[in-house]
Amino acid sequence: MDSASDPLVAPLFTCGLPIPDAVTGARPGARGTRRRTVDMHCHALCPAVEALVAGHPRRRDEQEAMDAAQGAASVAHNRTMLAEAGRRLTRLDQRLADMDAMGVDVQVLSPAPNQYHYWAEDDLAERLVRLQNEHIAALCAQRPDRLAGLGTLALQNPRLALVQLDEAVGRLGLRGVEVSTQVGGRPLSDPTFEPLWARAAELGCVVLIHPLGTQMGTRLASNYLWNAVGQPLETAIALSQLALDGVLARHPGLKLCACHGGGYLGAYWGRTDHAWRVRPEARRTPEPPSHYLRRVVHDCLVYEPRQLAALIEHVGVRQVVVGTDYPFDMGHYDVHGLIDAVPGLSDDDRLALHAGNAERLLSLAGRPFRMETQ
């Protein structure tokens, strides 16, 4: 479908919209050797989900709050590029052409974060998640050589989410799920999510952490700070809570992947470790938080080679994967150039960053991940 003129699709694109030249202007391998590449951070849209929530009072309330948090200038700018966003989020032919232009062999599709809809009551939430996950699975089935998928969960009902996780990975063949950084004010380290983390670790599936805006209210409603500062802040808070509250210590096999380079922790982890050492209320785990955060995989979406080099130095080269944030304008589409510009990496390191680390992350218990393009 052409969603450029679809009023059900239009409200979704509030986390940044694609600039066509940023996608099609990428020159894979222009600065170095072309390498097989797996993109762990890219999105797809399910129009049927929005049709189901259209007109719901809670949906309107959520959109109004997000618009206020972004500010009028950002909301207006987003609306001017809905045509590009809709085409790239919904048309498989456009997606594949963009992948070729970027030098991406495999995209791991995850839902557009605006489709979490954690406000939905149980019956509606069950239908929304089923539609979304079946949509992702159907896209992947059309091009199993180029696409893999992550689903979504109704985290507002952790018991339902547990069933949905098994359904997504077991019946639909998805490689994991995408979650936000908090659910109605509850952190991901809330005890109600403990069975979910245990099951995800048992399945060996990946959990992609991607924020939806920020809880900073209207304080960041200028200069697109809602996204530029707010979303990395949300990820830093969520990862800190998962580490300090002991979730990562209790579930060493849990496969977490953090979008946007993991937020700000990679640049300032020493302060959190210091709090762990000097504050009794922050010392609830045997090791400092950085010990556990080095188990988390981070995408490479930090834009600058020096920042990517610092992230690799902190978490290790085997804990970083490609993430473009396709198809939004806050994405980075010349991943080959970005990784080529990081000094001091061996050929094996670069191969791991481009594909090997993602393939390891996406391997389920007893089910390795490897896809060859045609």
Side-chain angles (χ1 to χ4, degrees):
M1 67 172 288
D2 181 2
S3 48
S5 58
D6 190 340
L8 299 176
V9 175
L12 293 176
F13 308 116
T14 55
C15 62
L17 296 175
I19 299 175
D21 290 345
V23 177
T24 60
R27 296 186 302 277
R31 301 185 199 172
T33 303
R34 170 70 172 86
R35 297 180 179 89
R36 172 178 166 80
T37 300
V38 178
D39 184 358
M40 278 295 306
H41 178 187
C42 45
H43 300 295
L45 173 74
C46 180
V49 164
E50 291 312 300
L52 197 56
V53 302
H56 196 293
R58 291 185 181 178
R59 177 70 181 94
R60 289 197 301 269
D61 291 345
E62 179 185 57
Q63 190 63 52
E64 289 174 0
M66 290 175 63
D67 287 351
Q70 291 183 89
S74 290
V75 172
H77 181 72
N78 287 345
R79 287 173 179 163
T80 65
M81 289 190 269
L82 287 176
E84 289 297 332
R87 186 172 78 244
R88 288 186 155 89
L89 283 163
T90 58
R91 281 180 46 180
L92 183 57
D93 58 343
Q94 181 69 63
R95 180 180 297 273
L96 293 170
D98 289 344
M99 290 169 63
D100 291 341
M102 293 184 288
V104 170
D105 297 278
V106 176
Q107 278 192 347
V108 183
L109 306 180
S110 58
N114 302 68
Q115 295 201 304
Y116 288 141
H117 298 317
Y118 289 152
W119 48 263
E121 59 272 14
D122 289 353
D123 288 346
L124 178 59
E126 192 279 329
R127 295 170 66 194
L128 292 173
V129 169
R130 185 177 71 252
L131 277 173
Q132 182 70 278
N133 292 353
E134 289 180 350
H135 177 72
I136 295 285
L139 284 173
C140 295
Q142 291 183 64
R143 287 303 301 264
D145 59 322
R146 303 295 302 272
L147 304 173
L150 304 176
T152 189
L153 302 172
L155 288 183
Q156 65 271 39
N157 183 334
R159 287 181 293 181
L160 176 59
L162 194 60
V163 175
Q164 292 168 336
L165 178 63
D166 279 333
E167 174 81 359
V169 177
R171 184 177 74 84
L172 296 177
L174 301 179
R175 292 283 162 163
V177 291
E178 177 191 41
V179 301
S180 190
T181 49
Q182 54 83 31
V183 184
R186 277 187 295 173
L188 294 180
S189 59
D190 188 282
T192 58
F193 298 127
E194 194 71 12
L196 188 66
W197 300 130
R199 183 57 177 155
E202 183 180 4
L203 290 170
C205 65
V206 63
V207 179
L208 182 74
I209 298 178
H210 191 301
L212 174 60
T214 175
Q215 291 186 295
M216 294 289 287
T218 59
R219 188 179 178 191
L220 301 180
S222 65
N223 306 296
Y224 207 41
L225 295 179
W226 179 85
N227 188 319
V229 172
Q231 296 215 135
L233 175 62
E234 290 294 321
T235 303
I237 293 171
L239 292 178
S240 297
Q241 291 167 331
L242 288 167
L244 288 164
D245 288 340
V247 172
L248 299 180
R250 291 190 297 274
H251 305 288
L254 185 60
K255 293 181 178 179
L256 295 183
C257 182
C259 293
H260 313 126
Y264 295 118
L265 284 183
Y268 205 21
W269 55 269
R271 186 172 178 86
T272 312
D273 277 5
H274 182 77
W276 177 88
R277 286 191 292 269
V278 303
R279 300 289 303 194
E281 71 272 29
R283 189 162 186 163
R284 301 170 57 191
T285 56
E287 301 291 340
S290 62
H291 172 84
Y292 304 104
L293 292 170
R294 288 188 178 96
R295 297 179 185 168
V296 176
V297 174
H298 301 64
D299 78 9
C300 70
L301 191 58
V302 295
Y303 309 100
E304 296 292 335
R306 287 177 296 178
Q307 286 192 287
L308 181 54
L311 177 64
I312 291 170
E313 181 180 4
H314 174 51
V315 302
V317 72
R318 297 301 186 266
Q319 296 300 107
V320 179
V321 295
V322 166
T324 64
D325 204 4
Y326 177 91
F328 298 116
D329 65 355
M330 289 299 284
H332 189 288
Y333 301 111
D334 185 12
V335 293
H336 291 267
L338 176 64
I339 293 174
D340 283 343
V342 176
L345 298 176
S346 68
D347 287 342
D348 286 345
D349 290 340
R350 298 183 195 279
L351 291 171
L353 290 167
H354 276 277
N357 296 340
E359 289 170 344
R360 185 186 73 249
L361 181 69
L362 292 163
S363 296
L364 300 173
R367 293 166 57 190
F369 180 89
R370 176 71 182 182
M371 291 161 49
E372 297 290 350
T373 56
Q374 293 178 347

